[in-house]
Amino acid sequence: MNSQISLIQKIDALLPQTQCGLCGHRDGCLPYAKSMAEGEEANKCVPGGQPVADALAALLQRAALPAEPSVWPIQGDGRPQRMKAVIREDECIGCTKCFSACPVDAIIGAGKLMHTVLAELCTGCELCIPPCPVDCIDLVEDVQALPSEAARLAEQNDLRARYYAHIQREEQRRMHRKGPVVRAEIDSALFAQFSSQDSSVPEIEIADQSEKIAPVQDAKTAIELAKLRTQVKKLEKQLSVRDDAKKRALLQELSQQLNALQGA
């Protein structure tokens, strides 16, 4: 590993991995890290706020600069208020346009059915809002206690892995997808280079190469649980209006699956 790659990884490790693009790099934190290593100013991470701007200045041995301002108030840790996306489910038309826009796969659902945001995975990046044709997505304050530094680091590592997996899946689907892609073009080679240097993230394969995904098991379990809960909730609502033997049997089966997965 050469010194430039090592520096970029150190910079990337300080970034919050929200992949929001507010720094001006639409492809997320890694491209901004690379650009900083090449001389770009280190104060543009909006969700990181002043603490991240100061940490980056110290790492790069540069003068500290005021962080780019956020529209959200500042928390006790000096960072902007953490936000979460919430879908107004009764207004959702199930268009799936928010799926590809979410960089960490925190939205679940199916075509023409209600979608749900997994709050524990959402970074509040706001990228799901513009493509929604019915404007049924809101941002709300994350009311959970501020994470410890250890918890923040674990969260950043998980988000990075989820984003790399998201990129790989999108690249593999690109050649077979009809219609426009929500996100901008990404530098697949850049992500492939850095994923191969870090065993904590899936190895990225460019779209025209062989398929290879190393899933994040805990994230997949969380998604499966959320899907089951959504299906159970929907069936319960339907059965409260009109009883149906088949739906009741399906509800019982899904409830058993949910209980088994929760106990795993």
Side-chain angles (χ1 to χ4, degrees):
M1 185 186 307
N2 62 42
S3 59
Q4 183 74 352
I5 292 177
S6 177
L7 176 60
I8 294 172
Q9 287 186 321
K10 289 177 181 177
I11 296 171
D12 187 59
L14 294 175
L15 297 173
Q17 304 303 315
T18 54
Q19 318 300 345
C20 60
L22 292 176
C23 60
H25 293 269
R26 178 62 179 80
D27 298 343
C29 298
L30 181 59
Y32 180 38
K34 178 176 181 291
S35 186
M36 277 188 280
E38 296 170 348
E40 184 171 355
E41 291 182 343
N43 65 332
K44 297 181 180 179
C45 178
V46 176
Q50 199 61 49
V52 168
D54 291 344
L56 289 168
L59 172 65
L60 296 168
Q61 299 182 342
R62 301 175 186 172
L65 297 172
E68 286 288 331
S70 171
V71 298
W72 310 116
I74 302 301
Q75 304 176 131
D77 62 356
R79 300 172 184 238
Q81 171 66 50
R82 290 163 65 98
M83 306 298 290
K84 299 289 183 181
V86 176
I87 294 176
R88 298 194 300 277
E89 296 174 352
D90 57 333
E91 299 177 27
C92 175
I93 61 174
C95 70
T96 74
K97 292 183 182 297
C98 56
F99 282 10
S100 293
C102 179
V104 294
D105 298 325
I107 303 175
I108 61 170
K112 299 182 180 179
L113 295 174
M114 176 188 74
H115 299 349
T116 299
V117 177
L118 303 179
E120 65 272 21
L121 299 179
C122 177
T123 68
C125 68
E126 307 181 34
L127 294 176
C128 59
I129 295 177
C132 178
V134 293
D135 296 324
C136 69
I137 304 177
D138 297 318
L139 284 175
V140 299
E141 290 187 3
D142 183 355
V143 297
Q144 297 183 22
L146 295 177
S148 64
E149 283 305 309
R152 190 189 304 281
L153 180 59
E155 178 185 57
Q156 289 177 186
N157 289 339
D158 179 63
L159 290 173
R160 184 185 296 107
R162 293 182 61 78
Y163 185 43
Y164 279 34
H166 173 84
I167 288 173
Q168 181 175 353
R169 186 166 54 257
E170 291 298 297
E171 287 303 294
Q172 291 169 348
R173 292 174 179 172
R174 175 190 294 278
M175 296 179 66
H176 306 288
R177 179 179 296 167
K178 296 179 180 179
V181 178
V182 174
R183 61 163 175 73
E185 295 289 330
I186 70 166
D187 186 346
S188 301
L190 172 67
F191 285 96
Q193 179 183 19
F194 281 84
S195 66
S196 67
Q197 303 291 337
D198 190 341
S199 61
S200 68
V201 297
E203 183 177 348
I204 307 298
E205 294 289 344
I206 300 175
D208 59 354
Q209 298 180 0
S210 60
E211 295 188 2
K212 187 175 182 181
I213 291 182
V216 181
Q217 188 60 45
D218 288 345
K220 290 186 70 175
T221 300
I223 291 173
E224 187 61 30
L225 281 169
K227 286 181 179 178
L228 287 170
R229 291 191 188 105
T230 300
Q231 290 175 298
V232 167
K233 181 179 178 182
K234 184 177 180 180
L235 284 169
E236 288 176 340
K237 185 175 181 180
Q238 291 174 343
L239 289 168
S240 68
V241 177
R242 179 180 300 172
D243 194 31
D244 183 284
K246 290 184 178 179
K247 289 183 179 180
R248 190 164 295 282
L250 178 59
L251 174 61
Q252 183 177 1
E253 179 184 345
L254 293 177
S255 297
Q256 290 174 348
Q257 292 179 20
L258 180 61
N259 291 334
L261 197 58
Q262 287 174 330

